Amino acid sequence: MAAQQIQTKKRAKSDLREICERLFVETGLSAKALSNTYPVTEQTISKWRNDTSRDGKTWDEKRQEFITAPANIRQVLMDELRKVAEGSESSINVKDLATIYKVIEGFSDKVNTQVVYSVFKEFDNWMSDQDPELALQFVHFHKLFLIYKAERE
């Protein structure tokens, strides 16, 4: 029975460590914030944070990888823009922020209007061979969409 209780405590501590690691890495919570939220001391979190025995990386290294992952860069920068818009001090130089914002736009899922135009043109030419009347309807809507898209850019 005592062995089972020890296993349960070890599992609970392991689960707690995983929760703290995820919050530290993905949300940027500090050791102090974690210790105030969960039943663990800052010293224990510090030990966990610097322990590389599990996968060869510290929590700080994992945080850097998480922040710089292409999927997360946009979110980090948008959060920074939100802080500035709310009147907080930017932790990024404003000139750098403008440059970074241009990079964000480069990550955008949107396709530029010129590419859309080229695809529509190729499609419309193909469609005119298939069904000329239907092709005219497509051309009309393609034109409307291109105008809409150009106005948004």
Side-chain angles (χ1 to χ4, degrees), residues 98-146:
T99 303
I100 291 168
Y101 185 75
K102 287 180 184 177
V103 171
I104 290 173
E105 290 303 306
F107 287 139
S108 174
D109 296 353
K110 297 177 184 174
V111 177
N112 106 17
T113 304
Q114 189 60 41
V115 172
V116 173
Y117 172 77
S118 297
V119 171
F120 279 169
K121 185 177 177 182
E122 184 177 344
F123 175 80
D124 292 340
N125 288 335
W126 174 81
M127 192 64 199
S128 67
D129 291 337
Q130 309 306 309
D131 185 338
E133 289 181 29
L134 186 57
L136 286 174
Q137 292 177 7
F138 279 119
V139 167
H140 171 72
F141 285 105
H142 291 166
K143 180 181 175 184
L144 292 175
F145 178 77
L146 286 167

Side-chain angles (χ1 to χ4, degrees), residues 18-29 59 62-64 66-67 72 75-76 79:
E18 288 175 24
I19 291 167
C20 288
E21 179 180 356
R22 185 170 186 173
L23 289 170
F24 180 87
V25 170
E26 295 180 14
T27 67
L29 282 179
W59 289 8
K62 291 176 186 178
R63 180 187 277 178
Q64 282 305 110
F66 180 82
I67 289 170
N72 298 321
Q75 185 61 48
V76 169
D79 289 345

Side-chain angles (χ1 to χ4, degrees), residues 70-100:
N72 298 321
I73 290 173
R74 181 179 176 91
Q75 185 61 48
V76 169
L77 296 174
M78 295 306 285
D79 289 345
E80 186 68 21
L81 284 172
R82 181 186 43 75
K83 283 187 347 190
V84 171
E86 292 172 351
S88 298
E89 282 279 324
S90 173
S91 58
I92 300 174
N93 177 295
V94 175
K95 187 175 179 182
D96 292 341
L97 195 59
T99 303
I100 291 168

